[in-house]
Amino acid sequence: MKKRWLCLFVENDIGVLAKISGLFSGKSYNLDSLTVGVTEDRTVSRITISLTSDDRTFEQVKKQLNRSVEVIKVVDYTEVAIHMKELMVIKVSGCSKNEIEEIFRISQVFHTTVIDYERDAVLIESVKTENSNNDLIALLGRCFANRIEIVRSGSVAIEALSITDRQ
């Protein structure tokens, strides 16, 4: 089993996302994340999919996607140098003044942004890789157990312009 990423360019029409996601659920494939948005061409949407699968299953997924009429292009990002980020917002509630100060310090060290706060709660925005966001969640979970709420967008990705490590 291996973590894999796909980029799909699809027709920007009603029902296309449901059909693509239905293809996965119909075959009992589980997705780690799925993001979709319109491209510079308003008639085309870009879907970024993250999943964990074996080689055989992954090849079947790509073949099925390529057969779909609404799919314009399938790009396998698994072995390609890419830049990948996800948006994550974390709310930490029930904080003392000292804890809020600690959250501001953690935010500074992790290069995230405090986007809102009040007397006993803080909202942190992080635009990082999935692994970096997982590290932040782990730290905040240890420090503020049972007081965090997390919203994640799923990853978006684009091919790197130069040879770089996956980011």
Side-chain angles (χ1 to χ4, degrees), residues 13-14 25-26 37 44 46 71 75 83 86 98 129 139-140 163:
D13 287 330
I14 295 170
S25 65
V44 177
R46 180 185 195 121
V71 175
V75 182
H83 292 279
E86 75 171 357
N98 288 341
T129 64
L139 175 63
L140 292 172
I163 307 288

Side-chain angles (χ1 to χ4, degrees), residues 133-151:
N133 282 340
N134 287 342
D135 291 344
L136 179 58
I137 291 168
L139 175 63
L140 292 172
R142 285 191 305 271
C143 296
F144 307 99
N146 302 321
R147 295 188 285 156
I148 63 173
E149 180 180 346
I150 301 165
V151 179

Side-chain angles (χ1 to χ4, degrees), residues 46 73 75-77 80-83 157-162:
R46 180 185 195 121
K73 184 177 179 181
V75 182
D76 181 356
Y77 278 168
V80 177
I82 57 175
H83 292 279
I158 193 164
E159 286 185 53
L161 299 176
S162 60

Side-chain angles (χ1 to χ4, degrees), residues 23-124:
L23 181 145
F24 285 91
S25 65
K27 300 292 182 181
S28 298
Y29 302 144
N30 190 36
L31 301 179
D32 296 328
S33 76
L34 181 145
T35 58
V36 63
V38 70
T39 66
E40 62 281 357
D41 177 349
R42 305 284 305 159
T43 66
V44 177
S45 289
R46 180 185 195 121
I47 301 174
T48 306
I49 299 172
S50 169
L51 66 148
T52 304
S53 75
D54 58 45
D55 292 339
R56 184 170 175 257
T57 301
F58 190 59
E59 288 305 316
Q60 288 176 337
V61 166
K62 290 192 299 186
K63 285 177 185 174
Q64 289 173 335
L65 289 169
N66 274 310
R67 281 193 294 250
S68 180
V69 173
E70 297 83 5
V71 175
I72 299 164
K73 184 177 179 181
V74 177
V75 182
D76 181 356
Y77 278 168
T78 304
E79 302 297 332
V80 177
I82 57 175
H83 292 279
M84 181 179 294
K85 301 287 187 235
E86 75 171 357
L87 170 64
M88 178 175 71
V89 179
I90 299 177
K91 181 198 287 183
V92 185
S93 302
C95 300
S96 67
K97 182 179 177 186
N98 288 341
E99 288 175 325
I100 288 178
E101 290 171 1
E102 180 64 14
I103 292 168
F104 272 82
R105 283 191 291 275
I106 290 170
S107 180
Q108 187 175 18
V109 168
F110 274 80
H111 304 287
T112 61
T113 305
V114 173
I115 57 172
D116 199 6
Y117 74 97
E118 58 184 21
R119 212 174 80 216
D120 67 343
V122 178
L123 286 179
I124 301 168

